[in-house]
Amino acid sequence: MQNSRLPVEVCEWIIDNSWRSYKELIVWPSIQEQTRTFVSYTQTCTQWVPRARIYLYRTVALGTSRQAELFTRTLHNAPHLAPLVQELVVHGKYDEYIPFASGMFCSLRNVHCLSIWADWRVYPPRYRDRIQEFNLRELTVNYSPIHMEDLLLV
């Protein structure tokens, strides 16, 4: 931002306000759009990277096991990114197991919000224990489908 024609404060204001426009929309399409926005900022100017990275990693959304694997690799190669993650959203297919509380995910000490949009029954019991290791203020578990056997009246 040093060589920018705009003052540093204006560049930072642009980045900061981009995040503010997204922070109330915690739905998957807006997270994808948010990611594209902040990735484009990192490609705009190398001096924008540190500020954009703060918001790029603030909310991490994992929709597949492959994404969890790639994010784990990212944390392994760049552990300085782990403290930036404050919110973790897991949104797989209802019966897909996405390993979000194992390995490098334990290094996510600043995660205060965890949203799971999947069938909790596909996760092993140890996940309940692992989640307690996060410093959560908010835990949301959604999308547990009702099966016919759950509806039977005795």
Side-chain angles (χ1 to χ4, degrees):
M1 289 184 237
Q2 236 172 346
N3 299 327
S4 174
R5 292 184 181 168
L6 296 171
V8 172
E9 295 81 12
V10 173
C11 296
E12 290 179 347
W13 182 88
I14 291 169
I15 295 170
D16 293 345
N17 280 289
S18 294
W19 179 77
R20 284 188 191 102
S21 70
Y22 290 116
K23 75 178 183 179
E24 297 300 320
L25 303 172
I26 187 66
V27 293
W28 177 239
S30 70
I31 292 172
Q32 287 179 320
E33 184 179 328
Q34 175 182 347
T35 300
R36 280 192 298 272
T37 299
F38 292 110
V39 166
S40 70
Y41 289 156
T42 65
Q43 297 167 345
T44 300
C45 173
T46 57
Q47 294 173 333
W48 283 35
V49 171
R51 189 65 162 224
R53 203 179 263 163
I54 291 170
Y55 299 109
L56 185 60
Y57 287 95
R58 179 173 286 209
T59 300
V60 172
L62 304 170
T64 64
S65 296
R66 176 76 175 139
Q67 288 176 341
E69 177 186 325
L70 291 172
F71 187 63
T72 299
R73 191 177 311 160
T74 298
L75 292 176
H76 179 73
N77 293 330
H80 63 280
L81 297 175
L84 300 177
V85 181
Q86 297 179 19
E87 189 168 6
L88 186 59
V89 179
V90 180
H91 63 91
K93 294 178 183 167
Y94 82 91
D95 61 349
E96 183 177 7
Y97 171 76
I98 299 173
F100 67 89
S102 59
M104 292 298 292
F105 284 94
C106 295
S107 67
L108 301 177
R109 296 289 176 212
N110 292 336
V111 170
H112 60 81
C113 179
L114 173 61
S115 298
I116 303 169
W117 296 78
D119 187 351
W120 184 245
R121 294 173 289 192
V122 300
Y123 290 93
R126 72 176 190 275
Y127 263 64
R128 290 178 190 91
D129 297 332
R130 298 301 291 273
I131 286 175
Q132 292 177 9
E133 295 175 18
F134 289 104
N135 187 24
L136 295 179
R137 290 185 299 216
E138 184 178 335
L139 172 63
T140 306
V141 180
N142 293 302
Y143 195 62
S144 287
I146 298 173
H147 296 284
M148 290 305 291
E149 59 270 16
D150 296 333
L151 295 175
L152 294 177
L153 298 174
V154 181

